[in-house]
Amino acid sequence: MVNIKEVAELAGVSPGTVSNVLNRPEKVSPTTRRRVEAAIENLGFVRHASASTLRAGYSRTIGLSVIDIGNPFFTDVAAGVEETASALGYAVILGNSAGSRTKEERNLRVLAEQRVRGVLITPSDEDPARLDRLRAHNINVVLVDHPPHRADQCSVAVNDVVGGKLAVEHLLAVGATSVAYVSGPLTIRQCQDRFDGASQTFPGTMRLIQMPTMTARAGEKAAQLLLDSGIPDAVFCANDLLALGVLRGLTQLGVRIPDDVALMGYDDIDFASASAVSLTSIRQPTYQLGKVATELLLDECDRPGAHAHQQIVFQPELVVRESTR
């Protein structure tokens, strides 16, 4: 096995400089860092991560916990996280809670055991206790797609109340007089906020259909529920997967989109523009959410004395396509 001393000799630097390149690359000049990296590549050096972690008390990894990795929204967020972390010398461990608090707590426990430097999380509920336990172990936490639980904490989120308002304003503008909101559980903050914005904007009573999951299959089942209770003029779905399922389900039941029902989703995933009837949606800056959240987390990790906590809120954007025209 090649060791650090051999890398240092080939690169013409001290073993301490090699250690800095491996663990604190921001402290090494770009020219020296490239020379050490070339020596590492040339010798095929692989560091002993466990030993390094024991010495430092933490690893060059961060955790990312999401509530549904099957949703392309979180796939895009994860891409922003991974690319940003990689550029700064960190690896990412991904955990999927599937909306389960029990699974989320188990994932967070594993991340703590791995001595991750910090955790990015879209929490499954509003209880901050398990995140406080991470901080007690000196693991920094940044909330993703969620407002802060406390002032001394970073977060990045999208204003989902505004997103709900944008959706209903558009549906009213195209002539809708009755609107149904197809959602996942309202215990999920994003679902509740989108419903709040929509119901505050709609002049009457908006029909609410809650599904246990936010998948295309759940959307197909919701289509039958919509038909059973009387088809509204318009349907607003809490995410695009639900909307694509509703589109498929209503079409199979003989309902025409948008002639009989205007339909829109939320997130503007790639499939939204590629469906048989392209889907009007509320766009979120998914990649940017992941990128900015990672920058905030690693700034807190690497500059604890100088770091200033930020709570960043992005604004959503209406994207009009065939499903509401």
Side-chain angles (χ1 to χ4, degrees):
M1 294 288 290
V2 177
N3 60 42
I4 281 183
K5 289 183 179 180
E6 293 172 275
V7 173
E9 288 175 4
L10 180 60
V13 299
S14 70
T17 299
V18 176
S19 179
N20 279 337
V21 170
L22 294 170
N23 299 297
R24 294 172 295 276
E26 69 280 357
K27 292 189 173 183
V28 184
S29 71
T31 300
T32 302
R33 189 164 67 240
R34 284 193 294 270
R35 195 162 72 246
V36 172
E37 288 170 346
I40 289 171
E41 180 70 21
N42 184 276
L43 293 172
F45 170 78
V46 177
R47 69 173 171 177
H48 194 315
S50 297
S52 176
T53 299
L54 285 172
R55 285 193 300 270
Y58 55 82
S59 64
R60 295 291 295 183
T61 58
I62 61 173
L64 170 63
S65 176
V66 300
I67 57 176
D68 182 10
I69 196 57
N71 186 337
F73 168 85
F74 287 109
T75 305
D76 290 344
V77 170
V81 171
E82 194 282 327
E83 290 183 18
T84 306
S86 178
L88 295 171
Y90 284 80
V92 180
I93 301 175
L94 175 64
N96 178 38
S97 72
S100 164
R101 175 171 178 147
T102 300
K103 187 175 181 182
E104 181 178 272
E105 288 180 337
R106 185 168 63 247
N107 290 343
L108 293 179
R109 189 162 54 248
V110 170
L111 292 174
E113 290 170 355
Q114 294 297 316
R115 299 294 192 270
V116 295
R117 195 76 187 278
V119 170
L120 301 165
I121 183 171
T122 304
S124 58
D125 61 33
E126 298 302 308
D127 184 0
R130 57 198 178 282
L131 305 185
D132 290 337
R133 286 194 292 272
L134 288 176
R135 293 189 195 91
H137 289 90
N138 295 317
I139 298 174
N140 297 312
V141 178
V142 172
L143 298 180
V144 182
D145 195 33
H146 198 285
H149 284 135
R150 41 196 282 176
D152 59 341
Q153 177 180 58
C154 287
S155 66
V156 292
V158 176
N159 193 328
D160 285 316
V161 174
V162 168
K165 290 180 178 180
L166 287 174
V168 171
E169 285 173 354
H170 173 65
L171 294 175
L172 292 173
V174 298
T177 58
S178 58
V179 176
Y181 177 61
V182 177
S183 176
L186 293 186
T187 52
I188 298 175
R189 184 204 59 82
Q190 292 88 338
C191 293
Q192 181 66 61
D193 283 358
R194 293 164 195 178
F195 178 62
D196 289 345
S199 57
Q200 290 167 15
T201 307
F202 188 65
T205 301
M206 191 164 55
R207 192 188 314 171
L208 171 63
I209 296 178
Q210 286 191 74
M211 304 303 293
T213 61
M214 299 174 68
T215 63
R217 180 165 297 189
E220 288 189 53
K221 294 178 180 178
Q224 184 63 59
L225 296 176
L226 287 166
L227 190 64
D228 293 343
S229 56
I231 293 291
D233 295 336
V235 177
F236 169 40
C237 296
N239 75 1
D240 286 341
L241 291 180
L242 281 170
L244 291 170
V246 169
L247 172 62
R248 177 178 172 83
L250 289 181
T251 301
Q252 290 178 336
L253 293 168
V255 178
R256 299 170 300 168
I257 307 294
D259 297 346
D260 300 324
V261 177
L263 173 66
M264 66 182 302
Y266 204 107
D267 290 339
D268 194 34
I269 63 176
D270 287 343
F271 298 128
S273 61
S275 59
V277 178
S278 60
L279 187 65
T280 294
S281 188
I282 301 296
R283 176 178 294 163
Q284 301 195 81
T286 48
Y287 182 92
Q288 193 72 2
L289 280 171
K291 178 179 185 295
V292 172
T294 305
E295 290 172 343
L296 289 173
L297 179 65
L298 295 183
D299 184 69
E300 185 174 0
C301 291
D302 294 336
R303 302 190 317 125
H307 175 77
H309 293 295
Q310 298 182 59
Q311 294 81 40
I312 297 174
V313 180
F314 293 96
Q315 297 303 312
E317 175 187 356
L318 172 68
V319 180
V320 179
R321 297 193 181 94
E322 296 170 336
S323 68
T324 59
R325 285 177 178 153

